[in-house]
Amino acid sequence: MSRSYGQHCGLARALDVVGDRWNLLIVRQLLMAPARYRELLDGLPGVATNLLADRLRDLETAGVVERRLAEEGNVIVYALTPWGAELREPIESLIRWSTPLMARGPGGDHFRPEWLVVALPALLRDKPAARRSSTVGIAVDGQLLHVQATPSGIEVSLHDGRDLDAVVRADASIVLGLAAGVLTLDDTLGLVEIDGDDAAVRAVFNPRGANVEGSVHR
């Protein structure tokens, strides 16, 4: 790397690789899926095109990112290497650590619903395991996410058309508050719209209360 703290310390050497501005946000985007350069540029509002190119080159040189052919078409995409994908754990830890910083809401900051694909598993990971399996859609700003809750954990992706037990519609700050445990579903009456099985939603956001039966429309 062109810049180094010059310290024989694991944290310093990790920061030599990913400590520059935008590096971890590039990794966040690639944790969702491999992406074309244009897709990365669109998913990182505020980054200059030449700076993104520089950061991708540095991350590729360090062995965090690689270029490969897309599965469909003769197009180059950027993807995380297996070593780069191991950054998911520290990134999720930072997301959980950020909860007090998120409490003030978005203000004038950019927000893209797909960022919840990384944030929600991080925030939901330490909740008690769901007692039942359920599949819930989270609708935020016109984007529908697919949340699968099982006794073995939580998986989040963009919705791919699979059947859902329920759909939750709410502002991003409410969804993040529910996932972080700062809010409960009972706290958000009137702020959250649930279409379908209420118990399925509780299996995601309130696992201990997931035995509630019945379908509701709020």
Side-chain angles (χ1 to χ4, degrees):
M1 302 299 290
S2 58
R3 294 165 295 278
S4 173
Y5 287 102
Q7 297 181 15
H8 185 57
C9 160
L11 177 59
R13 289 196 173 172
L15 291 174
D16 287 345
V17 174
V18 296
D20 279 340
R21 185 172 171 82
W22 295 105
N23 280 5
L24 284 180
L25 295 184
I26 292 169
V27 174
R28 177 198 65 195
Q29 295 301 114
L30 296 179
L31 282 171
M32 292 186 270
R36 302 180 187 183
Y37 181 84
R38 184 76 236 182
E39 291 169 334
L40 286 172
L41 196 62
D42 291 343
L44 294 165
V47 70
T49 183
N50 60 324
L51 182 58
L52 177 58
D54 288 345
R55 295 294 187 259
L56 285 168
R57 184 168 53 249
D58 287 346
L59 290 170
E60 188 175 3
T61 299
V64 174
V65 167
E66 64 184 4
R67 282 177 288 178
R68 62 172 73 146
L69 279 176
E71 292 182 2
E72 297 181 3
N74 191 26
V75 176
I76 295 294
V77 295
Y78 291 90
L80 295 173
T81 65
W83 184 54
E86 291 177 11
L87 283 163
R88 180 180 294 275
E89 182 178 351
I91 285 175
E92 288 190 347
S93 294
L94 282 170
I95 289 171
R96 288 190 292 275
W97 180 80
S98 76
T99 298
L101 303 175
M102 297 293 285
R104 64 176 180 264
D109 290 346
H110 294 284
F111 172 75
R112 294 177 65 95
E114 61 264 31
W115 295 341
L116 294 173
V117 170
V118 177
L120 291 182
L123 295 172
L124 292 167
R125 192 185 74 171
D126 293 334
K127 288 185 178 293
R131 297 174 183 173
R132 53 167 285 181
S133 296
S134 61
T135 306
V136 173
I138 308 287
V140 177
D141 291 353
Q143 181 72 267
L144 186 61
L145 306 180
H146 181 107
V147 182
Q148 179 78 42
T150 70
S152 60
I154 295 279
E155 294 182 3
V156 182
S157 61
L158 297 179
H159 185 52
D160 58 5
R162 284 177 284 176
D163 290 339
L164 300 168
D165 298 315
V167 174
V168 177
R169 294 179 176 84
D171 290 341
S173 57
I174 299 296
V175 172
L176 288 167
L178 288 168
V182 176
L183 298 172
T184 69
L185 286 168
D186 294 332
D187 293 330
T188 60
L189 293 174
L191 299 174
V192 173
E193 179 185 343
I194 298 176
D195 240 346
D197 186 356
D198 187 73
V201 178
R202 290 182 183 273
V204 172
F205 290 117
N206 184 22
R208 288 197 175 110
N211 287 336
V212 177
E213 299 294 338
S215 298
V216 299
H217 302 269
R218 293 184 188 168

